[in-house]
Amino acid sequence: EPEVTQTPSHQVTQMGQEVILRCVPISNHLYFYWYRQILGQKVEFLVSFYNNEISEKSEIFDDQFSVERPDGSNFTLKIRSTKLEDSAMYFCASSAGWEAFFGQGTRLTVV
Amino acid sequence: GESVGLHLPTLSVQEGDNSIINCAYSNSASDYFIWYKQESGKGPQFIIDIRSNMDKRQGQRVTVLLNKTVKHLSLQIAATQPGDSAVYFCAENHNDMRFGAGTRLTVKP
């Protein structure tokens, strides 16, 4: 069964460093998403991406964040100058139009 | 120490009983709704969906009910099993998908 894959599963980084979280969406999907989940809290929408551009973003997704689809298979989330409060699970999802399928997440720990 | 973050609503049921998990959504323009199940340490997993032109949809052991008048969504799980223990999130979709706060379901054997 096709699935969304995310790497790494766990990333530890020092405050102020840049991180890139990687996702391989399901191959025939056209819509891509990043979500964040702080420990014990709800899943929060960050950004949606369609047709090689951002289609929607939340107030969380400020200039510190960027997304890219560098080739036909990868979808990345870059976080510049990480802060302690960026520590969370980051989930990538993809969709063919309706139902979104999620990856297993990357746990980002900023120390 | 001080705890931070949301305290999820919890529902505890006996194995074999039916469970009903409720969700209020915010955007009256949302046209598609999904229930996700999230087990500890894993990503949200699709359970069932419903479009706004329907008020009920049934799956294998699950039923979703949609009341657009009061912007309310519910998930009914029949004959709840220990494997159903998880956090359940509803999500509404208009231009993008937004999640509700989640409910933790615990099934007692």
Side-chain angles (χ1 to χ4, degrees), chain A residues 98-99, chain B residues 30-34 46 49-52 91-93:
Chain A
W98 292 100
E99 175 192 345
Chain B
S30 293
D31 55 5
Y32 178 60
F33 306 87
I34 307 174
F46 173 89
D49 58 0
I50 188 168
R51 289 177 170 71
S52 59
E92 59 179 305
N93 190 299

Side-chain angles (χ1 to χ4, degrees), chain A residues 35 37 56 91 98-100, chain B residues 36 38 43 46 51 96-97:
Chain A
Y35 290 82
Q37 187 177 32
E56 196 85 15
F91 291 105
W98 292 100
E99 175 192 345
Chain B
Y36 283 93
Q38 188 177 27
F46 173 89
R51 289 177 170 71
D96 54 65
M97 192 161 57

Side-chain angles (χ1 to χ4, degrees), chain A residues 33 35 37 39-43 45 48 56-59 89 91 98-105 107, chain B residues 4-6 8 31-32 34 36 38 41-44 46 49 51 89 93 95-101:
Chain A
Y33 310 88
Y35 290 82
Q37 187 177 32
L39 184 64
Q41 298 191 23
K42 68 178 183 179
V43 180
F45 170 76
S48 58
E56 196 85 15
K57 60 182 181 178
S58 72
E59 57 278 1
M89 284 289 287
F91 291 105
W98 292 100
E99 175 192 345
F101 293 83
F102 283 78
Q104 292 300 298
R107 180 174 297 285
Chain B
V4 295
L6 294 175
L8 292 176
D31 55 5
Y32 178 60
I34 307 174
Y36 283 93
Q38 188 177 27
K42 297 185 178 180
F46 173 89
D49 58 0
R51 289 177 170 71
F89 293 94
N93 190 299
N95 292 316
D96 54 65
M97 192 161 57
R98 306 287 175 128
F99 285 78

Side-chain angles (χ1 to χ4, degrees), chain A residues 66-110:
Chain A
S66 62
V67 289
E68 198 175 35
R69 189 153 162 82
D71 52 43
S73 59
N74 290 284
F75 180 51
T76 63
L77 174 69
K78 182 188 289 186
I79 310 174
R80 285 179 282 276
S81 190
T82 48
K83 305 188 287 282
L84 294 176
E85 53 264 38
D86 293 327
S87 295
M89 284 289 287
Y90 287 81
F91 291 105
C92 172
S94 71
S95 165
W98 292 100
E99 175 192 345
F101 293 83
F102 283 78
Q104 292 300 298
T106 293
R107 180 174 297 285
L108 176 65
T109 303
V110 182

Side-chain angles (χ1 to χ4, degrees), chain A residues 47-66:
Chain A
V47 66
S48 58
F49 192 87
Y50 171 72
N51 201 25
N52 286 320
E53 61 182 22
I54 291 173
S55 50
E56 196 85 15
K57 60 182 181 178
S58 72
E59 57 278 1
I60 302 169
F61 194 89
D62 58 20
D63 292 343
Q64 185 193 7
F65 295 88
S66 62

